Amino acid sequence: MSLITKLDFVGIPSQDADRARRFYGETLGLQPDPNGEYEFWVGETCLGIWEPEKQGRPFAPQKNAHLALHVEDVAAARADLEAKGVQFAGDTFDTGVCHMALFTDPDGNDLMLHHRYKPAS
């Protein structure tokens, strides 16, 4: 039996927390936490923006561990974000199970729009 019961939050490193807050709140439209100025909710998972350099740690964007942000329609969500200036890394791709479109936040953290269209086997 695991002692771990859930994922409490995912830390999002930033060099400018106010800029990141605008991106996650205004551009992506995520729900802000009413009790945390730099926290947003995606379903039951909290994204917490933090500035490593303010704690004496080096800043490094999260790479190759894309947060898969669920959307019902990847093409529509991508078009909406592109209209807001978000640039995507290549074309949307189809894995045969899901659609994915890769992009980054203003700090270079890897993100993904994701929609699984086939049920898990």
Side-chain angles (χ1 to χ4, degrees), residues 64-84:
N64 299 316
H66 298 77
L67 295 181
L69 304 171
H70 174 79
V71 295
E72 288 302 318
D73 184 332
V74 171
R78 179 179 177 148
D80 179 66
L81 291 178
E82 286 176 326
K84 294 176 180 178

Side-chain angles (χ1 to χ4, degrees), residues 10-114:
V10 174
I12 306 293
S14 179
Q15 292 181 304
D16 183 338
D18 291 322
R19 178 187 65 200
R21 181 179 57 206
R22 287 188 303 276
F23 178 79
Y24 284 91
E26 296 170 17
T27 303
L28 296 184
L30 299 183
Q31 180 179 347
D33 185 302
N35 300 310
E37 186 175 3
Y38 297 99
E39 296 177 344
F40 294 88
W41 288 94
V42 181
E44 294 184 16
T45 302
C46 181
L47 302 183
I49 299 165
W50 69 297
E51 293 179 330
E53 292 169 336
K54 287 186 175 179
Q55 296 180 3
R57 297 172 163 244
F59 168 79
Q62 299 299 311
K63 303 307 274 179
N64 299 316
H66 298 77
L67 295 181
L69 304 171
H70 174 79
V71 295
E72 288 302 318
D73 184 332
V74 171
R78 179 179 177 148
D80 179 66
L81 291 178
E82 286 176 326
K84 294 176 180 178
V86 174
Q87 295 183 350
F88 284 78
D91 295 331
T92 298
F93 56 99
D94 184 339
T95 67
V97 174
C98 60
H99 293 128
M100 294 186 271
L102 308 177
F103 64 107
T104 61
D105 73 6
D107 286 292
N109 295 298
D110 285 340
L111 301 170
M112 166 196 307
L113 295 178
H114 179 264

